Amino acid sequence: MIISNTELSKRVSLSKPTIWRYRQRYADFPKPIVIEGSGVLRWVAEEVDAWFLAHRQCEGGE
């Protein structure tokens, strides 16, 4: 499933600026799909879910 920035923000309970910081901080953070000519970003929901699950486990979370 492809989701927007707003949908991503709600899905992971983080603000859009925090997601931007994650993109800068973590080289392995999923890359967005950029819609040519518009600069609009979209995300593959399953990639983001997997990334957050892996990082939560690495940090000793559930």
Side-chain angles (χ1 to χ4, degrees):
M1 173 173 37
I2 305 298
I3 59 175
S4 69
N5 280 338
T6 300
E7 292 167 322
L8 173 62
S9 179
K10 289 178 184 177
R11 187 178 191 96
V12 298
S13 300
L14 295 173
S15 69
K16 291 177 190 177
T18 299
I19 293 168
W20 181 85
R21 284 190 293 272
Y22 273 45
R23 290 180 59 204
Q24 302 303 308
R25 182 176 179 185
Y26 300 103
D28 65 335
F29 193 80
K31 303 292 185 238
I33 298 167
V34 180
I35 307 301
E36 282 190 50
S38 69
V40 173
L41 300 180
R42 294 291 183 259
W43 305 86
V44 177
E46 294 81 5
E47 290 178 5
V48 174
D49 291 345
W51 188 88
F52 275 96
L53 180 61
H55 278 262
R56 182 172 55 185
Q57 290 173 345
C58 288
E59 293 174 3
E62 297 179 0

